[in-house]
Amino acid sequence: MTLLLIIFLPIIAAAAIGLGAPARLAALLASGANLFLGLVVALVVALKGDGEMHFESARQLLDSPELTLGFGVDGISATLVLLTVIVTFCAVLVSPARVAGRGEGLYYISSLLIAAGALGAFCATDLFFFYAFHELALIPTFLMIGLHGHGRDRVATAWKITIYLGAGSLVLLAGLIALYASLSPAGGATFDIAKLTELAAGGEVEPGVQAWIFLVLLIGFGTLVSLFPFHSWAAPAYAAAPTPVAMLHAGVLKKFGLYGMMRVAFPMLPEGFREPLWAGGWTPEDILLVLLLGNILYVGLVTISQRYLDRMLGASSVMHMGYAFLGIACLNAAGWGGAVFMMFAHGISIALLFALCGALRGRLDTLEMSRLGGLGARVPVTATLFAFAAFASLGLPGFANFASEITIFFAAFEGALGGDAAGLGGLQVATVLALWGVVISAVYMLRAYRNIFQGELGGDRRPDEVSPLERGVAVLMIAVLLLTGFFPNLILNLVGPALGLPH
Amino acid sequence: MPAYLLEIFVVLLGLAMLGMEAFAGRGSRATIGLVGVAGLGLTFALLLFAVCCPEEGLSYWGIYHFDRPAAFYKGIALLSTMLVLVMAREFAPVLKRYTSQAEAHAGLGEFYSLPVFVCAGLMWMASAKDLITIFVSLEVVTMGFYVLVAYMRRNVGSLEAGVKYLILGALSTGFLVYGIAWVYGVTGEFELAAIGEVLAGGAYSERAALFAFALVAVGLGFKIAAVPFQIWVPDVYQGAPMPVTAFLSVGSKAAGFIVLLRVAEPFLGAPAINGPVVLLLAVLTCATLIYGNLGAIPQTNVKRLLAYSSIAHAGFLLMALPSVAGGGEIAGPGGGQAISFYLAGYLLMTLLCFTVLTVVRAGTGAEDLGGLAGLAKRSPLLAFAMLVGVASLAGVPLTVGFFGKFFLFNIAVQEAMRSGLWIVVSVAVLGAAAGFYYYFKIIRAMYWDDAGADGDPGGDAALQLGGLTRVAVVLLVLAVLFFGIYPAPILGLLG
Amino acid sequence: MPSLNEYLMVSGLLFAIGLAGVLFRRNIIVIFMCLEIMLSAANLSLVAFSRFSGQGGLPDYDAQVLVFFVITVAAAEVAVGLAIIVALFRARRTVHVEDLTSMRG
Amino acid sequence: MTTAFLILLLPLVSALAILLGVKRNPGASALVSVGSAGLCFLLALPLLGADNDAAGSFTWLAVGGLRLEIGLEVGGLARGMLLVVTLVGLLVHVFSMGYMRDDEAKARYFAGLSLFMFSMTGIVLADNLAMMFIFWELVGVSSYLLIGHWFQKNSAAEASKKAFLVNRIGDFGFMIGILLLWGSLGTVNFGEMAGRLSEGGYDATLMNWAMVCIFCGAVGKSAQVPLHVWLPDAMEGPTPVSALIHAATMVAAGVFMLAKMAFVIAVAPTAAGVVQHVGALTALLAALLATQQADIKKILAYSTLSQLGYMVMAVGFAGAQHGGAAVGEVAANSGFFHLYTHAFFKALLFLGSGAIIYACHHEQDIWKMGGLRRSMPATAATFLIGTAALAGLPPLSGFWSKDSVLALAWDNNPLLFAVGAFTAFLTAFYMTRLCVVVFFGEPRGGGARGAKEVAPVMLAPLYVLAAGAVVAGFPFAYGWFIGGGGAGIAHPHGGKALFLTILIGLALAGIAAGYLLYRDREEEPFPLKALADKLYIDEAYLVVVRVFQDAVAYVAKSVDQLLIDGLLVRGSARLAAGVGGLLRGMQVGNLQGYAFLFGLGVVFVIYIITTAVR
């Protein structure tokens, strides 16, 4: 019941706004209540600590195929629920109270719908609704970028993200269908994730077939996570999107693909990851390792050469997804724990950055970094908050981002070289290369900070400080990052028990 | 009561409406449409509660069969006709402008009663299981459409559409009859079940059977708007009166698919000729998907856009066709079920869109995307309804359109895993992705674009819509969303 | 008596002539007539098939039933079609197909 | 909670307190910070005599097979290092109260100092590599904040960024090294790692690689060649910061870490060789560069580099064999010995230079100073003590520690000894040059003419450090720090007299040369542009960065825009639209055309289905 409330509260609030309820109030009430409920859920799951599904509710909609509107949370989904409710609350708070022109309600409706979609997807215990809920964000995102987006390219960008993600989702859909169809026993088709996972453990699907389905899922999920080379939608879209949408999309929704890899692709295709696609050929693992390096190194370089803050942040969020994939590719509990933690940390930190970026955008005439400078003297509070956010993002110890990254790195080497295994495998080589990304992210973040806030004043700009509200939002998110950064076990103990891995 | 009474009742209803047109006073003519809606509604109720559904299929005189799918398609026919009549009432002002100037005495009674006759044809077709009955009922439907398309006889577009539809339709009828003759020649039967037995038996000329199938496929491909026989669709959709376009896209397509499902089954079930048939269907599917989806991209006239979209949907539906013969091996709903479900969903969302468009057309006189500009402001309800309808057409999850598409993809993927024809799935994925573009173009027009920017006549004035239409729109929106989450009622009807 | 194949050949020829007329004539009335030829070709095949698949010297009457239906349908088609063509002629003063290109693309 | 934890957390509490509210009152912020530093020092004192190594630990992060601990150990080197850090830290805090009295952002400065103290203490007390890495990064950021204290200056902003990035490059290697050790030994705890290694069964090649990678961390943090470029630039920060972070403690963290890892160096001979040679090269190169600098802080910075090179070289000998026995711990102790004497005299010199700069109204060019021994006698005296200690004059502390460092080279590698000895000569030379130019002669600039002796709050730390610089080298003193019962420090095994003669002789020669050449000069008499311009290494790096990073990044961006986004994404969209347009063209509108297409379609269908039959 609690879970249903969490998922449907935003939808109800959105409907209420659509029918004329005061937008900001309704959205705040719903997201605030959700924040509370999300904390309760996470707390309960953490206290149970048994890796089982909790708060389960299921209503069977169809017998054949077995389709259930079912929800439940374990540690992994509870973490992501927590992330979602925090970011949603913050996104609603920083939404403008009054929008010029029309569509005040749309701001809040879209935030709520994106949140509801993410929550539904993270909590669904049914493959169908897992997929379906994610798509709830499609139209709000399209409308918001088009109506309230920034920049001259916003129309093209709105199209790009919509069609790109639409296409990615369809590829994913094809993969999911192939998956469930090959797993389902004759006459007993089911979408139940738990049952499918059980069936997969039986191992009736040929490894070669598994590998191909895995590849399709990788492309489908990868597109949604902006895995290289399916990433080019992300940076421009985040740059163009209104602040709350950018926060929710980059912070929360993007994690769906990673979650899907962990919830669906790996458990249901236990042998697919390391099986050659053709005799003696590449395995999905090889491909994933190469692609994630593309994210970290190649997109990292692309990030360096961005000239506008918003584009840079967008590209950086693409880059960081590489680490999450790396954690998943470790295929051990530590790596997966690190990956989930990474999703959480990155979600909060990128939302924070976009919130600050949005605050700056409202106060400056440009976000082109080379034309700014020295703002630290004019707006010290903003500069301090941004510094926190930037350092979180580049993985400074004390922030959750660092803790998650280091977990992933250690996981990649866990037991890899001891005993007989003297010698680096592909995963370790990839990790070593990925580590260079730590340098890259420091380069672009510090460059940005230096160009915007440090040095001599660029032009005579006298922007206002962030409003107390924005400040509160930023402090809240920084506090979350610091808390979980200092005590990573807060999250890892929540996630840990749920990491039932294939093999 | 026996099911065939329903058809008789509907025909009588149509006749009664014509009679009202001829004999009733001027004032009561406005109620003809309402009478039609009410009568069809009554029939629908009878179908649901008095007739439906026998445990086993019933057969009368060997030419009329009644089972769950038959009941289902009768329901589809009744519902869509009702909605078309609702739309027709909204559209009446436009119709009057293009018909009654010269002949003031001619009312709109025919325009209301013809769909009712078409509906009777559709209902009968749902019960037809031999080629003769199928042919006759199909022609009843087609003939009604010829008249309806060309109904606005002072409107050049409508007439041109009527002529094009007439000539090409007749051409396709020629091929269909010729094909039926060949099927009969090869198998010596008209009963589809018997044909299936003969074809499965194997003592016939494969080449001749395939030739026969190709001819029938040409005739039916025309009805469902499959490439390369789709060529009439854009022009006819554009030219026909809006309610007729809606009826065409739903009724004609449903009719075509009912028949195609039944006729293709024996051929697909015959091991000897299954391969070429599947291959032909795959080629047609790909061509249809590409043509419909890509052709829609540059369109600016909404009706024309929806025409291409209708072609695209035919492509999606065709994906499931190869599996109708071997339904048991599919995880999830089989081909027949999936297609039927899709058609039901398609009915809801298409008619929803056309209802909105009819109101807009009547209010602003515009049929291009510019006419939709600023709709969100002028009528939030209509804009939202259109949004839901379009999203459903595009296959956004949690709408009935997604479920439909999902079931079809489900079959296509599984077929591909069996046959290796992944090209169909790939084309479908690309097509559906392109679909996001042209459907969202409508959303964009309604929400982003400002009314009056392109100097459209409607300006910012709020749009008027009648009470019945409002109810219909709201119900359709709710239905699209409801069945998008809970499809069981529709699937349950299918058995 | 001619064989089935000969009937079919004649029928096919007839069908082809009709089709060719549809494809190459410009006058809608003529096109319409050609369509009727195509239907007749189908009828011819049907009757031929019926004659040759009958048992005990009697034809299979099913096919001939269909022939009657086809003739009826053709008649109805002509009625509706001519009405539309007349309306078209009133509105446009033409029955040539190349004049009907207001909608395209 | 143990004392060690208290020492670790106090500065953090101070930093947080300032950040969260005390910052509104700069004076109070300074007091909070100084207070925490003082308290730390007091708490650290009793630990000197303690023999209890482990000081408690808790699990910081645990998931799956991974468990990272925050654990403290106060044994061996950590004890001495802790005292150095807290003592120098306290003195610098006190000095800063004077130096930064009028600064606008005093609160931020002291918060940064406290953050640094927290991070540095963490490095010192860490009982495992993961924890050390955490604090390693944190000292990096506190260094970044303090170098960039005057961030409105472009140069300071650039310098802080550079420092952080160069350190990150070192950390890149450090992390790889940690991961290699973790992957092969299954633990990152120092004690456990040593235990596993002593059991044998490890892969020697892997250990070499691991050690080289770990050494990268030290190269970055301790500014060894080739990552030394950030340290001279880091002098953009306030001078007390330079004294604390960029002379006495943080830059020494690399050496401290290497000393802690001596047990790995001992089993990684190739890596040990790399360490030795990099250290020696740094020592020589930095000393050469120091001879031509004009900025007083840059001279000291290069001197720091050079001395750090000594220390690194010394620790590198941990893998050397002497008389059949590995010198492991001895070498580590020797390196560490130089570290801590250096902390005293280099902090002294930096604070002294800070006093001079402060007195000369932020003039840093030595050629604009001169004659300061008269206006600032106390500062001059302490500065000269520091110089003597750095030059290695007996019996000052630098003499003892440099001896023990060079003794290792003397015994093991004559070439490196030669380099080291020549560096010692250079050291004496450039320090004398500095002193002569700054303190003797006549004032050459307005700042120097108006210079007055600084306030007692700034002098007091100088006195304390001067005392340290004198006595720290005596055996009783290093006994405290290194632990009397340990393996001790290195002494030359043969030719002791010759060894001492060479060293003392070179020091004296350097002093003499410096005095004679630079006495009463108005400007640089022997301008060597290449050395003054730091051998163009910065420029070379700039090119490297431009070419290998910015240019590649630009190429990547272009590829992204043109190929991936342009050709693949937008191209396919265009293709779809184009095909759509083409298909649309088929819709000619002419009924005849339609019928024709229909006919074509029929032919097509029949063709497909009939060719499909075999």
Side-chain angles (χ1 to χ4, degrees), chain A residues 31 34-35 39 79-92 247 252 344 348 476-477 480:
Chain A
S31 58
N34 252 6
L35 181 62
L39 281 170
T79 311
L80 294 170
V81 166
L82 196 58
L83 167 71
T84 313
V85 295
I86 294 174
V87 173
T88 309
F89 185 65
C90 294
V92 167
M247 288 168 72
V252 178
F344 180 82
I348 305 265
L476 171 68
M477 288 197 270
V480 171

Side-chain angles (χ1 to χ4, degrees), chain D residues 149-168:
Chain D
H149 181 70
W150 291 309
F151 61 80
Q152 297 92 332
K153 271 169 47 188
N154 278 338
S155 55
E158 287 298 330
S160 61
K161 196 179 82 184
K162 186 175 182 182
F164 194 88
L165 291 181
V166 173
N167 268 295
R168 267 261 155 145

Side-chain angles (χ1 to χ4, degrees), chain B residues 156 160 178 181 184-185 304 308, chain C residues 49 53 60 92 100 102 104-105:
Chain B
V156 176
E160 185 183 324
Y178 199 55
Y184 170 75
R304 218 171 165 82
Y308 280 95
Chain C
F49 280 129
S53 70
D60 180 356
R92 298 283 303 272
L100 298 180
S102 70
R104 55 161 87 192

Side-chain angles (χ1 to χ4, degrees), chain D residues 29-400:
Chain D
S29 304
L31 281 181
V32 167
S33 182
V34 174
S36 79
L39 213 53
C40 282
F41 174 64
L42 292 178
L43 286 169
L45 273 180
L47 286 178
L48 266 189
D51 53 358
N52 180 8
D53 276 5
S57 70
F58 68 90
T59 304
W60 176 65
L61 183 158
V63 60
L66 174 66
R67 177 176 296 271
L68 299 181
E69 309 258 336
I70 293 292
L72 309 186
E73 63 177 20
V74 202
L77 303 174
R79 230 175 274 158
M81 190 73 184
L82 187 61
L83 202 78
V84 170
V85 169
T86 51
L87 176 59
V88 179
L90 173 62
L91 295 174
V92 166
H93 272 80
V94 172
F95 185 87
S96 297
M97 289 176 76
Y99 192 86
M100 302 295 285
R101 199 175 54 209
D102 304 322
D103 196 85
E104 283 174 354
K106 197 160 142 186
R108 178 155 51 83
Y109 173 82
F110 277 100
L113 274 190
S114 282
L115 180 64
F116 170 76
M117 291 298 287
F118 164 66
S119 329
M120 192 65 214
T121 321
I123 293 184
V124 172
L125 295 175
D127 77 343
N128 64 68
L129 273 175
M131 176 180 168
M132 186 179 260
F133 184 81
I134 292 172
F135 287 95
W136 194 262
E137 290 273 302
L138 283 178
V139 288
V141 76
S142 41
S143 155
Y144 169 83
L145 293 176
L146 290 166
I147 296 172
H149 181 70
W150 291 309
F151 61 80
Q152 297 92 332
K153 271 169 47 188
N154 278 338
S155 55
E158 287 298 330
S160 61
K161 196 179 82 184
K162 186 175 182 182
F164 194 88
L165 291 181
V166 173
N167 268 295
R168 267 261 155 145
I169 294 173
D171 296 349
F172 163 70
F174 190 17
M175 192 70 214
I176 295 174
I178 295 176
L179 291 177
L180 288 174
L181 285 180
W182 151 255
S184 45
L185 302 178
T187 176
V188 286
N189 184 289
F190 293 119
E192 289 172 22
M193 282 195 292
R196 299 268 158 85
L197 282 181
S198 65
E199 288 164 15
Y202 52 85
D203 184 326
T205 322
L206 211 55
M207 284 305 125
N208 270 319
W209 277 110
M211 195 55 228
V212 168
C213 288
I214 284 183
F215 177 56
C216 286
V219 168
K221 197 65 66 188
S222 291
Q224 299 297 294
V225 173
L227 297 185
H228 64 283
V229 286
W230 66 272
L231 187 57
D233 287 16
M235 298 301 134
E236 286 292 338
T239 309
V241 169
S242 310
L244 176 62
I245 300 183
H246 306 120
T249 54
M250 183 186 89
V251 289
V255 179
F256 174 76
M257 183 268 281
L258 285 180
K260 275 217 134 177
M261 298 298 293
F263 63 91
V264 182
I265 299 180
V267 300
T270 316
V274 171
V275 175
Q276 294 156 16
H277 287 85
V278 169
L281 181 63
T282 308
L284 176 64
L285 186 73
L288 278 173
L289 295 182
T291 57
Q292 281 286 313
Q293 300 302 315
D295 183 321
I296 183 169
K297 285 178 73 179
K298 290 259 161 88
I299 299 173
L300 292 177
Y302 279 109
S303 152
T304 307
L305 282 178
S306 171
Q307 302 304 310
L308 287 168
Y310 272 138
M311 303 173 205
V312 167
M313 180 178 79
V315 180
F317 282 112
Q321 304 287 317
H322 198 275
V327 264
E329 205 178 328
V330 176
N333 281 349
S334 301
F336 182 70
F337 183 30
H338 195 55
L339 183 164
Y340 104 92
T341 60
H342 175 257
F344 285 109
F345 54 72
K346 190 49 70 56
L348 169 61
L349 289 171
F350 262 109
L351 290 187
S353 76
I356 293 166
I357 293 167
Y358 187 81
C360 296
H361 306 289
H362 294 275
E363 179 57 69
Q364 302 198 359
D365 189 339
I366 56 172
W367 296 106
K368 296 197 174 134
M369 299 173 179
L372 290 180
R373 74 175 190 282
R374 287 186 293 278
S375 49
M376 308 176 70
T379 307
T382 51
F383 201 93
L384 287 176
I385 292 174
T387 303
L390 176 55
L393 287 185
L396 301 183
S397 56
F399 166 73
W400 305 98

Side-chain angles (χ1 to χ4, degrees), chain A residues 160 231 410 438 450 455 489, chain D residues 62 151 158 168 182 560 565:
Chain A
K160 195 198 278 179
H231 65 275
F410 272 88
V438 172
R450 186 247 173 280
N489 275 346
Chain D
F151 61 80
E158 287 298 330
R168 267 261 155 145
W182 151 255
D560 213 45
D565 197 44

